[in-house]
Amino acid sequence: MLDFSRTTAELLRQVRAFGDFECAAVVNNVTFFIHRAEGWVESHGFAPGSLIYSQAEQLLVATGDGMLLISEWSLYGPDAVTGRGRR
């Protein structure tokens, strides 16, 4: 489970380590399963875990010390049968 109050570097390390299996995260009371993300350190006034922006399939979420751009995610866990193949 990703904890957005942690640093961006810690979150990126966790996504790199477990992204092939997917990391769970809650954004706006919705559970997402994250496969790939990028991030950077940036000063901001947003609460960690706030959804800042979304476009197409990308979600920008505030972290404790910056931003995390989630580029590959699903609403279904890795064990769910959905009728669609995973990317």
Side-chain angles (χ1 to χ4, degrees), residues 6 26 36 41 52 64 68 76 80-81:
R6 295 172 57 207
V26 176
R36 181 163 289 126
V41 175
I52 307 304
L68 192 71
Y76 303 103
V81 177

Short mmCIF file of all heavy atoms in Angstrom, two decimals, residues 6 26 36 41 52 64 68 76 80-81:
data_model
loop_
_atom_site.label_atom_id
_atom_site.label_comp_id
_atom_site.label_asym_id
_atom_site.label_seq_id
_atom_site.Cartn_x
_atom_site.Cartn_y
_atom_site.Cartn_z
N ARG A 6 4.73 9.80 2.64
CA ARG A 6 6.16 9.51 2.55
C ARG A 6 6.79 10.37 1.46
O ARG A 6 6.11 11.03 0.69
CB ARG A 6 6.37 8.03 2.29
CG ARG A 6 5.87 7.20 3.48
CD ARG A 6 5.85 5.72 3.22
NE ARG A 6 7.18 5.25 2.85
CZ ARG A 6 7.36 4.18 2.08
NH1 ARG A 6 6.34 3.48 1.64
NH2 ARG A 6 8.57 3.79 1.78
N VAL A 26 -4.78 4.45 -2.24
CA VAL A 26 -6.12 5.05 -2.17
C VAL A 26 -6.01 6.53 -2.50
O VAL A 26 -5.24 7.26 -1.87
CB VAL A 26 -6.74 4.85 -0.77
CG1 VAL A 26 -8.08 5.55 -0.67
CG2 VAL A 26 -6.87 3.37 -0.44
N ARG A 36 3.11 1.60 -12.76
CA ARG A 36 4.23 2.46 -13.14
C ARG A 36 3.94 3.90 -12.75
O ARG A 36 2.81 4.36 -12.88
CB ARG A 36 4.49 2.36 -14.64
CG ARG A 36 5.67 3.20 -15.10
CD ARG A 36 6.16 2.80 -16.47
NE ARG A 36 6.82 1.48 -16.35
CZ ARG A 36 6.50 0.43 -17.09
NH1 ARG A 36 5.57 0.50 -18.00
NH2 ARG A 36 7.12 -0.72 -16.92
N VAL A 41 10.47 16.09 -6.68
CA VAL A 41 10.35 16.88 -5.47
C VAL A 41 9.93 18.29 -5.87
O VAL A 41 10.48 18.86 -6.81
CB VAL A 41 11.69 16.90 -4.70
CG1 VAL A 41 11.62 17.83 -3.50
CG2 VAL A 41 12.07 15.50 -4.27
N ILE A 52 -4.28 15.98 -7.87
CA ILE A 52 -4.04 17.33 -8.34
C ILE A 52 -4.56 17.52 -9.76
O ILE A 52 -5.15 18.54 -10.09
CB ILE A 52 -2.52 17.66 -8.31
CG1 ILE A 52 -1.94 17.40 -6.93
CG2 ILE A 52 -2.27 19.09 -8.76
CD1 ILE A 52 -2.63 18.12 -5.80
N GLY A 64 4.41 13.66 0.15
CA GLY A 64 4.88 14.43 1.29
C GLY A 64 5.83 15.55 0.91
O GLY A 64 5.86 16.59 1.56
N LEU A 68 3.68 12.74 -7.61
CA LEU A 68 3.81 11.42 -8.21
C LEU A 68 2.86 11.37 -9.40
O LEU A 68 1.65 11.59 -9.24
CB LEU A 68 3.45 10.34 -7.19
CG LEU A 68 3.81 8.91 -7.58
CD1 LEU A 68 5.33 8.74 -7.53
CD2 LEU A 68 3.17 7.93 -6.62
N TYR A 76 -8.83 -2.63 -10.90
CA TYR A 76 -8.98 -4.04 -10.54
C TYR A 76 -7.65 -4.60 -10.06
O TYR A 76 -6.62 -4.33 -10.65
CB TYR A 76 -9.46 -4.86 -11.74
CG TYR A 76 -10.75 -4.34 -12.31
CD1 TYR A 76 -10.76 -3.60 -13.48
CD2 TYR A 76 -11.96 -4.57 -11.67
CE1 TYR A 76 -11.94 -3.10 -13.99
CE2 TYR A 76 -13.14 -4.08 -12.18
CZ TYR A 76 -13.13 -3.35 -13.34
OH TYR A 76 -14.30 -2.86 -13.84
N ALA A 80 -7.96 -10.15 -10.23
CA ALA A 80 -9.33 -10.01 -10.74
C ALA A 80 -9.46 -10.54 -12.15
O ALA A 80 -8.57 -10.40 -12.98
CB ALA A 80 -9.76 -8.55 -10.71
N VAL A 81 -10.59 -11.15 -12.44
CA VAL A 81 -10.90 -11.60 -13.79
C VAL A 81 -11.74 -10.51 -14.43
O VAL A 81 -12.84 -10.20 -13.97
CB VAL A 81 -11.69 -12.93 -13.76
CG1 VAL A 81 -12.06 -13.35 -15.16
CG2 VAL A 81 -10.86 -13.99 -13.06
#
